[in-house]
Structure formats: structure tokens, C-alpha cells
Amino acid sequence: MSIANLRKDYQLASLSETDVAADPIEQFAHWFEQALKADAAEANAMSLATVNAEGRPSSRIVLIKEFNQNGFSWFTNYDSSKGHDLAANPHAALLFFWSALERQVRIEGRIEKVSEQDNDSYFHSRPLGSRRSACASQQSQPIANRDLLEQRLDEVTSEHGDHPPRPQHWGGYRLVPDRLEFWQGRSSRLHDRIVYTRGSDGLWTITRLQP
């Protein structure tokens, strides 16, 4: 079969302006809960798109760790490629895709770092192996081979045992949204698209977009 002929006709649900919550975070929470109940694969996974100082875009999958009225948060190495991008251009876009529900959510906004207290709290809640790896890896930097990486992990284990400290270059980011789009697949590509846009007064406007 030709790749051009690969397609799926979406028929599971619909989305109307009269159905959605007035607040987009409340609407996201509703959809996220439904994704969890549907056992959607990696429901907490999102694509994070950044742009570097030269205007070159880049994207990767990260895991959301918290969302609330303040925004959407995740953790990483501040010295990674995405960290450098966000230092140069503190704006980003997130994308959740829940194929089991034929839905996606697109989120755009400005970036801020979470507090040092939040960094420490989350870091020490991680599994021991993940904490050791955060100390051992210089994320996004070249390394000659896997053996050297595992050697560095052994050094961290030997030095810190079961209590590796949080590296100062490791922490969280929060995307403070000003635009969220809720996309529900519909038959014949006539998809439902409901967008929330935050005004200068902080209030949200709801608009339907054509597919």
C-alpha cells in the first residue's frame, strides 16, 4: 500500500463550543482524565517544540509532571539542547496526541523556570536510578561510547551511594499558556477545533477554527 493512501476516518466523538469548559485548564484536565481512563499509551507524553537563537526549530518528547492554573511543567537538564533553546527564546509549544481518543491538544506560551524548592522536591521523589542518571549524563553532549557513560554512572554510584544530590543544572520549566487548541478528529477530515486565546486582561476567548 502507498504511504499516501494510509488514513483513518475518525468517528469516536465530537466537540462543540457548548460542550467545553469556560477555562482551558479545566478542559485539559477533563480530557487528560479521559485519556488516563482510556489507558491511552503514554498519556502524559508531550512533544515539546523550541526554537534556538538562529531561528532553527527542534522538537522532542518529554513527560509532563504537573499542570494547574500556573501552567504545564516538566523537568530536564538546563544545559541540554532544549535548555539552550529556551534560554535564547523563552517561548515554546506543547502537543499531546491521544490516538486512542482521536484527540490532540496544542499549547503555546512563554517559559519560566520552576522554583529551586520544587526542583529539589521532585528530584528526590524520582527513582534512584533516574537520580543517578541525571548526575552522570551531560545531556545532549557527545560521548565516545556507551561504556564511558556507564563508567560515569558507576562513579556517581560509588561517590554518592543511594543519596545522589540534585545537580544545579537540573530542574524544571513551566509553560505559561496563552493559546490552547483542542482538536477532535471527525469523519471525512471535517475535524472539530476549539481554541482558547488569553487576552491582555487575562481572560480567555473561545473560537472555533475550520479544519
Side-chain angles (χ1 to χ4, degrees), residues 8-16 19 101-103 183-193 208 211:
K8 178 181 179 181
D9 195 39
Y10 300 119
Q11 299 183 0
L12 284 181
S14 62
L15 185 65
S16 169
D19 297 333
L101 297 175
E102 301 176 352
R103 290 174 175 171
W183 182 101
Q184 177 67 61
R186 296 295 302 274
S187 183
S188 300
R189 294 298 186 263
L190 207 63
H191 311 306
D192 289 326
R193 299 175 62 188
R208 171 179 286 272

Side-chain angles (χ1 to χ4, degrees), residues 2-206:
S2 168
I3 293 177
N5 292 326
L6 292 175
R7 59 176 55 88
K8 178 181 179 181
D9 195 39
Y10 300 119
Q11 299 183 0
L12 284 181
S14 62
L15 185 65
S16 169
E17 299 89 326
T18 59
D19 297 333
V20 298
D23 182 274
I25 307 303
E26 181 181 340
Q27 180 63 34
F28 180 85
H30 177 60
W31 269 24
F32 189 74
E33 181 180 2
Q34 289 186 333
L36 293 176
K37 288 182 177 179
D39 199 24
E42 299 282 2
N44 59 331
M46 59 187 184
S47 172
L48 165 64
T50 58
V51 177
N52 69 11
E54 288 73 44
R56 186 181 182 91
S58 181
S59 64
R60 74 290 288 161
I61 299 296
V62 299
L63 300 180
I64 189 172
K65 294 303 176 183
E66 183 180 40
F67 68 88
N68 52 38
Q69 290 296 329
N70 295 322
F72 298 78
S73 302
W74 67 97
F75 292 82
T76 188
N77 186 318
Y78 289 144
D79 290 334
S80 64
S81 295
K82 56 184 170 295
H84 291 164
D85 287 358
L86 293 173
N89 185 349
H91 296 84
L94 307 175
L95 172 64
F96 291 85
F97 177 54
W98 300 311
S99 61
L101 297 175
E102 301 176 352
R103 290 174 175 171
Q104 59 180 315
V105 183
R106 301 171 60 193
I107 307 170
E108 301 171 10
R110 63 177 175 84
I111 298 296
E112 62 185 25
K113 289 183 176 179
V114 306
S115 70
E116 291 293 286
Q117 180 179 354
D118 287 343
N119 286 342
D120 286 335
S121 177
Y122 176 67
F123 182 81
H124 293 295
S125 75
R126 303 179 84 203
L128 177 58
S130 297
R131 283 179 278 145
R132 286 172 173 168
S133 295
C135 295
S137 174
Q138 294 179 302
Q139 192 175 109
S140 301
Q141 297 304 307
I143 193 167
N145 53 58
R146 175 83 186 190
D147 289 343
L148 289 177
L149 184 60
E150 293 184 351
Q151 177 182 331
R152 176 56 184 152
L153 182 61
D154 290 341
E155 292 170 355
V156 169
T157 301
S158 177
E159 182 178 358
H160 299 293
D162 292 347
H163 303 284
R166 177 180 67 86
Q168 287 302 303
H169 58 255
W170 189 96
Y173 289 103
R174 179 184 298 111
L175 184 144
V176 181
D178 53 35
R179 186 183 189 277
L180 297 91
E181 176 182 331
F182 294 82
W183 182 101
Q184 177 67 61
R186 296 295 302 274
S187 183
S188 300
R189 294 298 186 263
L190 207 63
H191 311 306
D192 289 326
R193 299 175 62 188
I194 304 297
V195 174
Y196 295 76
T197 306
R198 193 200 300 265
S200 57
D201 56 3
L203 300 179
W204 293 98
T205 299
I206 300 176

